Amino acid sequence: MSAYENTLIISDLDGTLIPRGGVISEENKEALRRFVAGGGRFGIATGRTPEAAAGYVGDLPINAPSIFFNGSMLYDWQQQEVLATRPLPAGDAKDIWPRFAAACQQSFPHACIEVYTADNCHIISEEKYDDPRLPFEYYKYEHCALDKLTDTEKTPWLKFFVNAEPAVLHRLERLAKQMGVDVLSNSFYSEINYYEFVAAGVSKGTMVEEIRKLPEWQGYRIIAAGDFLNDNEMLQLADVGVASGNAHEMTKAAADVIGCTVEEHLMPWIIEHVIDGGEE
């Protein structure tokens, strides 16, 4: 039996594998190469699209199903094949998400508002209010009118995203309750100025459970790593949840183990202390 056989590491990207504004360290890359060479399996779990993630992780040895759109998509990285999607549900009102998006445009005119479908990130707010990080990322995106996206049966929405000041996002939470989209969705902060909506019952954690159901992955020990609130359920549902040392306090509380900071290279730390050292 290989040293790391039947062990899967699944890691968040920003703040866990990638320092804010940085790149994946050579120490992390080398540790993952050794882990996979020893029979281990590795996947990622991110709010990004596969295309946006590829610019960062293209040379990593990803050999396990990976999670995108904060749990709305399960993707086979090696085959470049979508395994499952979980679109935002319409409930009784088929136009509820376009109506909610229009209300956000009217109520929060200076916010960056994005609609994610399986093939693209659609920015429906004015270009001058774009997330300033976008030009430095690897996102495929387009600016378009909301009218182009209103047929959600033809083009399902996987994620709805707003980037704004925290005070605006608190108002967004209230608007979601007023319009009833809160009961149709799992909504959360992925950073202090990012608020996201995916389908009710969907998270990185629920997709970890979907991986467990696949015949090939039964019996695997799953170790998940993350740093922010959208990672909490994944850490709780993994066999071992590891929060980076720089993680949000609530994420640390959700984890079984608190590791080193992202700048100190979390992947070799996990292999040494959690897998080789047996810490839980």
Side-chain angles (χ1 to χ4, degrees):
M1 182 175 176
S2 301
Y4 301 122
E5 192 172 332
N6 296 328
T7 301
L8 165 62
I9 297 175
I10 190 158
S11 177
D12 168 58
L13 294 184
D14 300 285
T16 304
L17 196 57
I18 307 171
R20 303 293 177 186
V23 297
I24 300 172
S25 70
E26 289 302 320
E27 289 85 350
N28 277 328
K29 291 178 183 179
E30 178 56 30
L32 289 171
R33 292 186 191 112
R34 286 189 284 104
F35 173 70
V36 168
R41 307 296 288 269
F42 173 70
I44 59 174
T46 176
R48 296 170 182 268
T49 66
E51 294 82 7
Y56 288 99
V57 304
D59 59 347
L60 289 183
I62 298 174
N63 61 349
S66 292
I67 299 165
F68 295 91
F69 299 96
N70 274 316
S72 294
M73 178 184 285
L74 188 64
Y75 187 79
D76 186 321
W77 189 265
Q78 292 176 309
Q79 299 299 320
Q80 297 185 5
E81 177 184 356
V82 176
L83 301 176
T85 58
R86 300 290 184 268
L88 287 162
D92 296 329
K94 293 183 179 180
D95 66 342
I96 189 166
W97 285 103
R99 284 195 293 109
F100 179 61
C104 290
Q105 287 178 313
Q106 182 176 3
S107 301
F108 317 118
H110 298 161
C112 177
I113 303 173
E114 302 171 4
V115 175
Y116 288 80
T117 62
D119 66 341
N120 211 348
C121 165
H122 310 269
I123 304 176
I124 60 171
S125 49
E126 292 187 54
E127 187 170 355
K128 62 183 176 181
Y129 300 121
D130 281 3
D131 181 349
R133 285 166 51 175
L134 272 177
F136 305 100
E137 301 283 352
Y138 296 93
Y139 267 98
K140 172 187 173 186
Y141 62 91
E142 68 166 6
H143 292 85
C144 72
L146 177 59
D147 291 348
K148 180 180 176 180
L149 304 168
T150 53
D151 188 347
T152 57
E153 289 187 339
K154 180 181 178 182
T155 308
W157 294 16
L158 296 185
K159 185 174 79 167
F160 183 72
F161 171 98
V162 179
N163 169 27
E165 295 296 321
V168 171
L169 297 182
H170 295 326
R171 291 167 52 206
L172 173 69
E173 291 184 76
R174 293 196 293 272
L175 180 62
K177 291 180 180 178
Q178 291 166 9
M179 295 191 66
V181 299
D182 61 318
V183 298
L184 298 173
S185 62
N186 174 24
S187 57
F188 48 83
Y189 288 88
S190 53
E191 291 194 19
I192 60 170
N193 58 331
Y194 290 171
Y195 200 75
E196 310 193 16
F197 298 82
V198 295
V202 166
S203 69
K204 293 180 181 181
T206 57
M207 275 304 187
V208 165
E209 293 297 278
E210 290 298 314
I211 293 173
R212 288 191 193 277
K213 294 176 185 177
L214 298 174
E216 180 184 352
W217 298 95
Q218 293 180 14
Y220 267 77
R221 183 188 188 210
I222 299 179
I223 299 166
D227 77 301
F228 210 73
L229 304 177
N230 56 317
D231 298 315
N232 288 9
E233 188 171 353
M234 178 175 72
L235 302 191
Q236 292 168 334
L237 292 174
D239 295 299
V240 184
V242 182
S244 59
N246 51 277
H248 190 285
E249 290 305 313
M250 291 179 66
T251 303
K252 289 180 179 179
D256 300 297
V257 179
I258 300 172
C260 66
T261 66
V262 61
E263 291 83 8
E264 295 171 306
H265 321 298
L266 187 59
M267 294 302 108
W269 191 97
I270 288 174
I271 293 168
E272 178 182 354
H273 295 274
V274 177
I275 301 176
D276 293 342
E279 184 175 334
E280 295 193 22

